[in-house]
Amino acid sequence: RTPLALSSGWRRYCAAAATPTGDAVGEFRRRIRVAEVKGGEDQGAAWVGKELTVRGWVRTCRAQRTVTFVEVNDGSCLSNMQCVLTPETEGYGQIDSINTGASVLVEGVVASSQGVKQKVELKVSKIIVIGESDPTSFPIQKKRASREFLRTVAHLRPRTNTFGAVARVRNALAYATHKFFQDSGFIWVSSPIITASDCEGAGEQFYVTTLLSNSAEGGCLVNSIPSKDGRVDWSQDFFCKPAFLTVSGQLNGETYASALSDIYTFGPTFRAENSNTSRHLAEFWMIEPELAFADLNDDMACASAYLQYVVKYILENCKEDMDFFDTWVEKGIIDRLNNVAEKNFVQMSYSDAIKLLIGSNKKFEFPVKWGLDLQSEHERYITEVAFGGSPVIIRDYPKVCNAHFAVFNWFSKNLIIS
Amino acid sequence: RTPLALSSGWRRYCAAAATPTGDAVGEFRRRIRVAEVKGGEDQGAAWVGKELTVRGWVRTCRAQRTVTFVEVNDGSCLSNMQCVLTPETEGYGQIDSINTGASVLVEGVVASSQGVKQKVELKVSKIIVIGESDPTSFPIQKKRASREFLRTVAHLRPRTNTFGAVARVRNALAYATHKFFQDSGFIWVSSPIITASDCEGAGEQFYVTTLLSNSAEGGCLVNSIPSKDGRVDWSQDFFCKPAFLTVSGQLNGETYASALSDIYTFGPTFRAENSNTSRHLAEFWMIEPELAFADLNDDMACASAYLQYVVKYILENCKEDMDFFDTWVEKGIIDRLNNVAEKNFVQMSYSDAIKLLIGSNKKFEFPVKWGLDLQSEHERYITEVAFGGSPVIIRDYPKVCNAHFAVFNWFSKNLIIS
């Protein structure tokens, strides 16, 4: 297989700079990404007439009598670049290799598109098939595939619209998180992942150990685990005592907040809870801000400002991906996020919320009584009816409502005044 | 103990906005940080005459006949705010509580300082001691403390100059890393931490398990570990098979690069190697960029641009902390980093490097011969003498030099062309 040729700029550079004893390192190549062409307000109109090289993966290939349309996606955005090939195109002889999943390099000139789906397309002068794809075995074809099936081809699912969009939005949320806290003067602290602390019993922990090393063909022999008086001998483990995956960076974060004032952690945390719901994961990334010299009002203000910032960020920077979710995954998600981004947050105490619900004289399925948890129907009434779509923070939950501890934890735990 | 009073602005806001059913969430409080006052080019001169409230921790307190100087640090920068108290200062009666480690709120007016150490100081009109500190037991006093000792007071060491500076520089390096890759169109991928893959045997792995749960008082009984035919029964573990802490996000990153073109991982990775050197850690954060449609030249260009970007970033944004390191921790570090940031990177093959060393006719302690590793003295000759301080990338290492695989891995492994 032919390796990918260096871009010609690079080749010129190397030829000019070559000396017997050392070459300059070139400039950081800026491959043009489809997002840079089609991502702007004009959807690429400014590129019409310009030369462009795109590298990516074939989504579909439709051969017509005189032209062949190849949709190429490079993952920089949801949109493909529609590439128009004719028999005059250099490399047209490889047309049988241009199957879904193949990786290609296409060179050509950007032109206005006659199609309704895109403003511009690429009139291809040259195509190189970099990696072929066997159409009889490539598992991701144009039809929709279930997420369960895609799980079985985890090495290829990032090439689907859904997983690509998730990756881009997740990336934007992570970067917006750093931007928000950095711009507000917070310092990121990477709290330890392996720990001997259980962080106030925030959740079940995984053990981290080298005691189980596979010491025999066929698996770890139980009687090869170091023991003393019938018990596991931790003194022979890697850290010479039991060690766990962290359930929270909070304790570490607090020591830094008590020195650097405002810090945040953003890293993976772990729970060994055998609960298969959408609210439980064995591994997840968590953000834990710790504010020194702050009170509950500061915490609520920080949380509100943060949420509005990141939501605005993805609505502005991931428009195409969010439209995709709104159309195919969850109708109405953009309207709901716009409410979060645009409306003022409201806060009230749990007791006032109970009063409001009782005073509403609305018939709820679940009872409303001080000391009971708020159910989804109650929360929806408060946000959607009582406050016209504004996000609402309920503070001062009574201790008896244990189920809500985790959800509201963030707002109540950050009071550091000494 | 009196809780910290709300800032007066907040109190007004709440009083005005209070309604029986819901309060507005306030603006995100912007506590003024010492870095915002003293961090600029003028070292605070523009603040002279302005009112300022500082919250932080007392570093030292020097009582003179008519004035008392209190150095307050809030962790936003290395510099303290020198606070000048007189008997007229409100709260002066608490002067006996103003010991090293106490947390305080000081209000006053910024004034030009007579001292040589700072441009400005705070003439304090009011001081509140938020948290006291017992001078007989607070472990961090003005004298230098060894890092070994500070390890025993890990909850307080972030308040030292060294650990504070490390935290701020580390934060800046992490943020600059994200900024560099995001600005270059890379997408951050959070590769899984718990994994069943050993990533091409990159290193010894930790087991992640729930089989060892302490099932008895006094520790885990070996015979309570689920077993089958004398072997550990992985089917009863959390993931129903052996699971490990990741040694590298590479395999996961490659699947995303083969769909999104340019990605990077930046997260914790783990090695269960029992090796206590400065080059081995059980837990460390690693950056793994994966470039699609790239070759070794692109990789070298990317690595060089990245290094120069982050080094420039900390030299510009952490000047005070870097000066501190240059003075107290490693003399000459700023000059060395300036070389990295300013000089062009050079690249040459291993074979050319051997030729260059042999041709130098210099007497080295270790032999120079094709097939042998380069030693520090050789690397120093190449960078410092042959290329006048430029950073040098040695490419195309022969496979026989195994010791260098890890160091140069980054430059050779990222070739993805299909």
Side-chain angles (χ1 to χ4, degrees), chain B residues 355-400:
Chain B
K355 271 186 229 158
L356 183 151
L357 289 168
I358 290 172
S360 74
N361 290 321
K362 191 173 147 46
K363 226 176 147 50
F364 293 107
E365 191 184 340
F366 289 93
V368 176
K369 196 183 146 193
W370 199 97
L372 295 182
D373 263 343
L374 294 188
Q375 303 293 331
S376 293
E377 56 170 347
H378 308 140
E379 293 169 358
R380 291 191 63 165
Y381 177 82
I382 294 172
T383 52
E384 292 171 13
V385 182
F387 292 105
S390 286
V392 180
I393 298 172
I394 311 289
R395 58 176 160 77
D396 303 333
Y397 253 73
K399 261 195 176 169
V400 287

Side-chain angles (χ1 to χ4, degrees), chain B residues 51-102:
Chain B
E51 285 192 22
L52 175 67
T53 302
V54 168
R55 297 161 179 84
W57 295 271
V58 173
R59 284 289 172 92
T60 59
C61 179
R62 288 175 292 129
Q64 294 186 351
R65 216 165 346 145
T66 54
V67 291
T68 298
F69 294 100
V70 182
E71 300 283 339
V72 176
N73 187 283
D74 72 355
S76 63
C77 59
L78 194 85
S79 293
N80 307 319
M81 178 58 76
Q82 172 158 295
C83 299
V84 186
L85 277 62
T86 64
E88 282 72 47
T89 300
E90 187 184 333
Y92 191 77
Q94 303 168 79
I95 195 129
D96 290 341
S97 309
I98 305 174
N99 299 305
T100 300

Side-chain angles (χ1 to χ4, degrees), chain B residues 29-45:
Chain B
R29 172 188 55 83
R30 291 298 331 255
R31 182 174 55 78
I32 304 289
R33 303 175 307 135
V34 172
E36 291 163 63
V37 177
K38 298 181 69 176
E41 282 289 309
D42 68 352
Q43 295 170 54

